[in-house]
Tab-separated table of all heavy atoms in Angstrom:
chain	number	residue	atom	x	y	z
F	1	TYR	N	-59.227	-37.811	98.782
F	1	TYR	CA	-58.134	-37.550	97.852
F	1	TYR	C	-58.006	-38.543	96.700
F	1	TYR	O	-57.527	-38.185	95.635
F	1	TYR	CB	-56.804	-37.522	98.608
F	1	TYR	CG	-56.684	-36.368	99.563
F	1	TYR	CD1	-56.977	-36.528	100.911
F	1	TYR	CD2	-56.297	-35.122	99.120
F	1	TYR	CE1	-56.874	-35.466	101.790
F	1	TYR	CE2	-56.195	-34.056	99.987
F	1	TYR	CZ	-56.480	-34.233	101.325
F	1	TYR	OH	-56.386	-33.183	102.184
F	2	VAL	N	-58.388	-39.795	96.884
F	2	VAL	CA	-58.069	-40.807	95.877
F	2	VAL	C	-59.291	-41.229	95.069
F	2	VAL	O	-59.398	-40.918	93.883
F	2	VAL	CB	-57.391	-42.037	96.522
F	2	VAL	CG1	-57.033	-43.068	95.459
F	2	VAL	CG2	-56.148	-41.618	97.286
F	3	ASN	N	-60.181	-41.951	95.668
F	3	ASN	CA	-61.299	-42.534	94.928
F	3	ASN	C	-62.621	-41.803	95.085
F	3	ASN	O	-63.610	-42.200	94.504
F	3	ASN	CB	-61.501	-43.996	95.353
F	3	ASN	CG	-60.384	-44.872	94.863
F	3	ASN	OD1	-59.974	-44.772	93.724
F	3	ASN	ND2	-59.857	-45.710	95.734
F	4	SER	N	-62.652	-40.778	95.869
F	4	SER	CA	-63.863	-39.998	96.139
F	4	SER	C	-64.917	-40.848	96.853
F	4	SER	O	-64.633	-41.912	97.363
F	4	SER	CB	-64.432	-39.376	94.865
F	4	SER	OG	-64.988	-40.348	94.009
F	5	THR	N	-66.129	-40.373	96.868
F	5	THR	CA	-67.197	-41.077	97.566
F	5	THR	C	-68.277	-41.511	96.578
F	5	THR	O	-68.380	-40.990	95.480
F	5	THR	CB	-67.837	-40.181	98.639
F	5	THR	OG1	-68.281	-38.981	98.017
F	5	THR	CG2	-66.845	-39.835	99.725
F	6	LEU	N	-69.075	-42.457	97.017
F	6	LEU	CA	-70.188	-42.926	96.198
F	6	LEU	C	-71.448	-42.154	96.563
F	6	LEU	O	-71.650	-41.799	97.717
F	6	LEU	CB	-70.435	-44.415	96.429
F	6	LEU	CG	-69.356	-45.366	95.941
F	6	LEU	CD1	-69.665	-46.780	96.395
F	6	LEU	CD2	-69.221	-45.303	94.446
F	7	CYS	N	-72.276	-41.908	95.561
F	7	CYS	CA	-73.585	-41.326	95.838
F	7	CYS	C	-74.640	-42.257	95.245
F	7	CYS	O	-74.425	-42.897	94.236
F	7	CYS	CB	-73.708	-39.922	95.257
F	7	CYS	SG	-73.732	-39.845	93.477
F	8	ARG	N	-75.746	-42.329	95.910
F	8	ARG	CA	-76.835	-43.206	95.466
F	8	ARG	C	-77.691	-42.451	94.463
F	8	ARG	O	-78.054	-41.299	94.674
F	8	ARG	CB	-77.663	-43.635	96.662
F	8	ARG	CG	-78.752	-44.602	96.312
F	8	ARG	CD	-79.485	-45.018	97.561
F	8	ARG	NE	-80.628	-45.830	97.189
F	8	ARG	CZ	-81.376	-46.478	98.039
F	8	ARG	NH1	-81.122	-46.399	99.320
F	8	ARG	NH2	-82.382	-47.203	97.633
F	9	ILE	N	-78.018	-43.122	93.378
F	9	ILE	CA	-78.878	-42.551	92.352
F	9	ILE	C	-80.259	-43.165	92.517
F	9	ILE	O	-80.393	-44.394	92.540
F	9	ILE	CB	-78.345	-42.843	90.936
F	9	ILE	CG1	-76.950	-42.240	90.762
F	9	ILE	CG2	-79.294	-42.304	89.882
F	9	ILE	CD1	-76.297	-42.621	89.463
F	10	GLY	N	-81.250	-42.338	92.672
F	10	GLY	CA	-82.610	-42.840	92.839
F	10	GLY	C	-83.101	-43.559	91.599
F	10	GLY	O	-82.766	-43.216	90.468
F	11	THR	N	-83.890	-44.584	91.812
F	11	THR	CA	-84.489	-45.333	90.704
F	11	THR	C	-85.994	-45.391	90.908
F	11	THR	O	-86.505	-45.087	91.977
F	11	THR	CB	-83.922	-46.766	90.638
F	11	THR	OG1	-84.194	-47.420	91.877
F	11	THR	CG2	-82.422	-46.765	90.385
F	12	ASN	N	-86.684	-45.795	89.869
F	12	ASN	CA	-88.142	-45.851	89.928
F	12	ASN	C	-88.667	-47.056	90.699
F	12	ASN	O	-89.800	-47.057	91.132
F	12	ASN	CB	-88.725	-45.862	88.512
F	12	ASN	CG	-88.481	-44.536	87.822
F	12	ASN	OD1	-88.269	-43.517	88.480
F	12	ASN	ND2	-88.495	-44.551	86.507
F	13	ASN	N	-87.854	-48.068	90.854
F	13	ASN	CA	-88.304	-49.237	91.614
F	13	ASN	C	-87.370	-49.467	92.799
F	13	ASN	O	-86.269	-48.954	92.856
F	13	ASN	CB	-88.381	-50.485	90.724
F	13	ASN	CG	-87.049	-50.811	90.111
F	13	ASN	OD1	-86.016	-50.596	90.710
F	13	ASN	ND2	-87.060	-51.335	88.901
F	14	ASP	N	-87.827	-50.201	93.749
F	14	ASP	CA	-87.045	-50.433	94.967
F	14	ASP	C	-86.071	-51.593	94.843
F	14	ASP	O	-85.301	-51.854	95.758
F	14	ASP	CB	-87.984	-50.696	96.150
F	14	ASP	CG	-88.797	-49.481	96.491
F	14	ASP	OD1	-88.325	-48.358	96.265
F	14	ASP	OD2	-89.917	-49.668	96.997
F	15	ILE	N	-86.095	-52.298	93.722
F	15	ILE	CA	-85.274	-53.489	93.573
F	15	ILE	C	-83.839	-53.130	93.180
F	15	ILE	O	-82.892	-53.671	93.717
F	15	ILE	CB	-85.891	-54.455	92.533
F	15	ILE	CG1	-87.241	-54.941	93.050
F	15	ILE	CG2	-84.953	-55.615	92.253
F	15	ILE	CD1	-88.030	-55.733	92.045
F	16	SER	N	-83.678	-52.212	92.270
F	16	SER	CA	-82.332	-51.888	91.807
F	16	SER	C	-81.837	-50.591	92.452
F	16	SER	O	-82.588	-49.649	92.648
F	16	SER	CB	-82.311	-51.754	90.285
F	16	SER	OG	-83.090	-50.659	89.890
F	17	ILE	N	-80.578	-50.598	92.780
F	17	ILE	CA	-79.915	-49.422	93.340
F	17	ILE	C	-78.713	-49.116	92.457
F	17	ILE	O	-77.933	-50.016	92.129
F	17	ILE	CB	-79.451	-49.680	94.788
F	17	ILE	CG1	-80.634	-50.008	95.674
F	17	ILE	CG2	-78.699	-48.476	95.321
F	17	ILE	CD1	-80.243	-50.440	97.070
F	18	ARG	N	-78.561	-47.870	92.089
F	18	ARG	CA	-77.425	-47.459	91.276
F	18	ARG	C	-76.600	-46.452	92.064
F	18	ARG	O	-77.117	-45.689	92.863
F	18	ARG	CB	-77.889	-46.841	89.965
F	18	ARG	CG	-78.592	-47.817	89.066
F	18	ARG	CD	-78.994	-47.231	87.738
F	18	ARG	NE	-78.677	-45.822	87.582
F	18	ARG	CZ	-79.267	-45.023	86.706
F	18	ARG	NH1	-80.197	-45.486	85.931
F	18	ARG	NH2	-78.935	-43.768	86.615
F	19	PHE	N	-75.307	-46.468	91.796
F	19	PHE	CA	-74.391	-45.546	92.462
F	19	PHE	C	-73.559	-44.822	91.426
F	19	PHE	O	-73.323	-45.327	90.330
F	19	PHE	CB	-73.449	-46.298	93.409
F	19	PHE	CG	-74.143	-46.889	94.600
F	19	PHE	CD1	-74.583	-48.195	94.586
F	19	PHE	CD2	-74.349	-46.138	95.730
F	19	PHE	CE1	-75.211	-48.746	95.678
F	19	PHE	CE2	-74.978	-46.673	96.840
F	19	PHE	CZ	-75.417	-47.980	96.813
F	20	CYS	N	-73.125	-43.652	91.765
F	20	CYS	CA	-72.163	-42.931	90.937
F	20	CYS	C	-71.034	-42.474	91.851
F	20	CYS	O	-71.188	-42.405	93.062
F	20	CYS	CB	-72.809	-41.745	90.234
F	20	CYS	SG	-73.261	-40.395	91.340
F	21	ARG	N	-69.899	-42.198	91.272
F	21	ARG	CA	-68.769	-41.727	92.049
F	21	ARG	C	-68.644	-40.224	91.863
F	21	ARG	O	-68.549	-39.722	90.762
F	21	ARG	CB	-67.494	-42.414	91.589
F	21	ARG	CG	-66.566	-42.641	92.735
F	21	ARG	CD	-65.411	-43.536	92.405
F	21	ARG	NE	-65.525	-44.890	92.884
F	21	ARG	CZ	-65.496	-45.248	94.143
F	21	ARG	NH1	-65.411	-44.359	95.081
F	21	ARG	NH2	-65.576	-46.498	94.484
F	22	LEU	N	-68.656	-39.498	92.976
F	22	LEU	CA	-68.463	-38.061	92.927
F	22	LEU	C	-66.982	-37.769	92.707
F	22	LEU	O	-66.124	-38.550	93.110
F	22	LEU	CB	-68.908	-37.424	94.252
F	22	LEU	CG	-70.383	-37.579	94.592
F	22	LEU	CD1	-70.647	-37.058	95.996
F	22	LEU	CD2	-71.239	-36.828	93.597
F	23	PRO	N	-66.661	-36.647	92.071
F	23	PRO	CA	-65.245	-36.324	91.882
F	23	PRO	C	-64.559	-36.085	93.230
F	23	PRO	O	-65.190	-35.635	94.184
F	23	PRO	CB	-65.259	-35.051	91.053
F	23	PRO	CG	-66.671	-34.638	90.907
F	23	PRO	CD	-67.551	-35.686	91.479
F	24	SER	N	-63.278	-36.391	93.289
F	24	SER	CA	-62.520	-36.145	94.508
F	24	SER	C	-62.511	-34.652	94.808
F	24	SER	O	-62.534	-33.825	93.903
F	24	SER	CB	-61.083	-36.626	94.342
F	24	SER	OG	-61.048	-38.007	94.132
F	25	GLN	N	-62.452	-34.320	96.081
F	25	GLN	CA	-62.437	-32.908	96.463
F	25	GLN	C	-61.147	-32.226	96.044
F	25	GLN	O	-61.142	-31.038	95.738
F	25	GLN	CB	-62.632	-32.769	97.969
F	25	GLN	CG	-64.018	-33.146	98.414
F	25	GLN	CD	-64.207	-32.910	99.902
F	25	GLN	OE1	-63.462	-32.173	100.529
F	25	GLN	NE2	-65.208	-33.542	100.468
F	26	PHE	N	-60.046	-32.975	96.032
F	26	PHE	CA	-58.754	-32.426	95.647
F	26	PHE	C	-58.137	-33.339	94.603
F	26	PHE	O	-57.959	-34.528	94.845
F	26	PHE	CB	-57.824	-32.320	96.856
F	26	PHE	CG	-58.404	-31.497	97.968
F	26	PHE	CD1	-59.014	-32.098	99.043
F	26	PHE	CD2	-58.347	-30.118	97.913
F	26	PHE	CE1	-59.548	-31.345	100.074
F	26	PHE	CE2	-58.881	-29.350	98.931
F	26	PHE	CZ	-59.486	-29.960	100.008
F	27	SER	N	-57.786	-32.800	93.442
F	27	SER	CA	-57.206	-33.624	92.386
F	27	SER	C	-55.802	-34.064	92.765
F	27	SER	O	-55.105	-33.414	93.549
F	27	SER	CB	-57.166	-32.834	91.079
F	27	SER	OG	-56.319	-31.704	91.215
F	28	SER	N	-55.365	-35.166	92.203
F	28	SER	CA	-54.038	-35.705	92.513
F	28	SER	C	-52.910	-34.707	92.259
F	28	SER	O	-52.000	-34.600	93.077
F	28	SER	CB	-53.790	-36.988	91.723
F	28	SER	OG	-54.677	-37.988	92.143
F	29	PRO	N	-52.920	-33.984	91.140
F	29	PRO	CA	-51.827	-33.021	90.936
F	29	PRO	C	-51.751	-31.947	92.025
F	29	PRO	O	-50.696	-31.372	92.257
F	29	PRO	CB	-52.149	-32.389	89.585
F	29	PRO	CG	-52.984	-33.392	88.881
F	29	PRO	CD	-53.783	-34.068	89.968
F	30	MET	N	-52.848	-31.703	92.708
F	30	MET	CA	-52.834	-30.681	93.745
F	30	MET	C	-52.066	-31.141	94.984
F	30	MET	O	-51.376	-30.360	95.624
F	30	MET	CB	-54.253	-30.297	94.138
F	30	MET	CG	-54.325	-29.223	95.207
F	30	MET	SD	-55.990	-28.809	95.678
F	30	MET	CE	-56.498	-27.851	94.269
F	31	TRP	N	-52.145	-32.421	95.327
F	31	TRP	CA	-51.518	-32.883	96.561
F	31	TRP	C	-50.360	-33.841	96.349
F	31	TRP	O	-49.550	-34.052	97.241
F	31	TRP	CB	-52.539	-33.528	97.494
F	31	TRP	CG	-53.292	-34.692	96.919
F	31	TRP	CD1	-54.511	-34.648	96.321
F	31	TRP	CD2	-52.881	-36.057	96.879
F	31	TRP	NE1	-54.880	-35.896	95.909
F	31	TRP	CE2	-53.910	-36.786	96.252
F	31	TRP	CE3	-51.768	-36.742	97.324
F	31	TRP	CZ2	-53.832	-38.152	96.041
F	31	TRP	CZ3	-51.691	-38.116	97.123
F	31	TRP	CH2	-52.729	-38.797	96.484
F	32	ASN	N	-50.231	-34.434	95.174
F	32	ASN	CA	-49.196	-35.426	94.921
F	32	ASN	C	-47.922	-34.732	94.427
F	32	ASN	O	-47.942	-34.017	93.444
F	32	ASN	CB	-49.699	-36.430	93.886
F	32	ASN	CG	-48.772	-37.606	93.741
F	32	ASN	OD1	-47.578	-37.495	93.913
F	32	ASN	ND2	-49.347	-38.753	93.408
F	33	VAL	N	-46.807	-34.957	95.095
F	33	VAL	CA	-45.547	-34.321	94.715
F	33	VAL	C	-44.574	-35.316	94.071
F	33	VAL	O	-43.384	-35.052	93.975
F	33	VAL	CB	-44.886	-33.629	95.933
F	33	VAL	CG1	-45.713	-32.466	96.400
F	33	VAL	CG2	-44.629	-34.606	97.053
F	34	HIS	N	-45.090	-36.453	93.596
F	34	HIS	CA	-44.231	-37.482	92.997
F	34	HIS	C	-43.466	-36.938	91.789
F	34	HIS	O	-42.242	-37.074	91.702
F	34	HIS	CB	-45.065	-38.697	92.598
F	34	HIS	CG	-44.276	-39.754	91.885
F	34	HIS	ND1	-43.384	-40.574	92.540
F	34	HIS	CD2	-44.224	-40.093	90.577
F	34	HIS	CE1	-42.829	-41.395	91.661
F	34	HIS	NE2	-43.321	-41.118	90.475
F	35	GLN	N	-44.163	-36.311	90.852
F	35	GLN	CA	-43.521	-35.820	89.626
F	35	GLN	C	-42.510	-34.724	89.939
F	35	GLN	O	-41.415	-34.697	89.376
F	35	GLN	CB	-44.571	-35.315	88.627
F	35	GLN	CG	-44.005	-34.973	87.262
F	35	GLN	CD	-43.409	-36.175	86.547
F	35	GLN	OE1	-43.887	-37.291	86.664
F	35	GLN	NE2	-42.337	-35.959	85.823
F	36	THR	N	-42.849	-33.813	90.835
F	36	THR	CA	-41.902	-32.746	91.179
F	36	THR	C	-40.663	-33.319	91.878
F	36	THR	O	-39.568	-32.791	91.719
F	36	THR	CB	-42.555	-31.676	92.071
F	36	THR	OG1	-43.068	-32.277	93.251
F	36	THR	CG2	-43.665	-30.966	91.343
F	37	THR	N	-40.826	-34.399	92.619
F	37	THR	CA	-39.683	-35.050	93.250
F	37	THR	C	-38.771	-35.651	92.198
F	37	THR	O	-37.541	-35.521	92.272
F	37	THR	CB	-40.148	-36.142	94.233
F	37	THR	OG1	-41.000	-35.537	95.211
F	37	THR	CG2	-38.978	-36.816	94.911
F	38	LEU	N	-39.356	-36.286	91.182
F	38	LEU	CA	-38.548	-36.857	90.103
F	38	LEU	C	-37.788	-35.780	89.339
F	38	LEU	O	-36.682	-36.011	88.858
F	38	LEU	CB	-39.438	-37.649	89.136
F	38	LEU	CG	-40.086	-38.920	89.691
F	38	LEU	CD1	-40.986	-39.544	88.631
F	38	LEU	CD2	-39.033	-39.907	90.147
F	39	LEU	N	-38.385	-34.598	89.228
F	39	LEU	CA	-37.755	-33.491	88.504
F	39	LEU	C	-36.837	-32.667	89.403
F	39	LEU	O	-36.297	-31.650	88.974
F	39	LEU	CB	-38.835	-32.587	87.896
F	39	LEU	CG	-39.744	-33.249	86.862
F	39	LEU	CD1	-40.860	-32.302	86.451
F	39	LEU	CD2	-38.934	-33.676	85.648
F	40	ASP	N	-36.651	-33.102	90.644
F	40	ASP	CA	-35.837	-32.407	91.638
F	40	ASP	C	-36.302	-30.966	91.840
F	40	ASP	O	-35.513	-30.060	92.012
F	40	ASP	CB	-34.351	-32.453	91.250
F	40	ASP	CG	-33.451	-32.187	92.444
F	40	ASP	OD1	-33.892	-32.476	93.577
F	40	ASP	OD2	-32.336	-31.675	92.254
């Protein structure tokens, strides 16, 4: 829900490893009711 997961990006050499962050499965507006609570 919050920070998603990391995925490893392949590189041409074995020395460096790169990562990317996959999008969260559920966006914050879908599960977070903070704003609707403020608006009653």
Side-chain angles (χ1 to χ4, degrees):
Y1 293 97
V2 181
N3 290 315
S4 70
T5 55
L6 292 173
C7 68
R8 183 178 173 171
I9 300 173
T11 59
N12 292 338
N13 59 34
D14 294 331
I15 296 172
S16 65
I17 300 173
R18 294 183 358 201
F19 292 94
C20 70
R21 214 169 258 292
L22 297 173
S24 297
Q25 291 184 19
F26 303 99
S27 63
S28 295
M30 181 181 285
W31 58 265
N32 189 329
V33 293
H34 176 74
Q35 188 63 35
T36 57
T37 302
L38 293 177
L39 298 174
D40 200 27

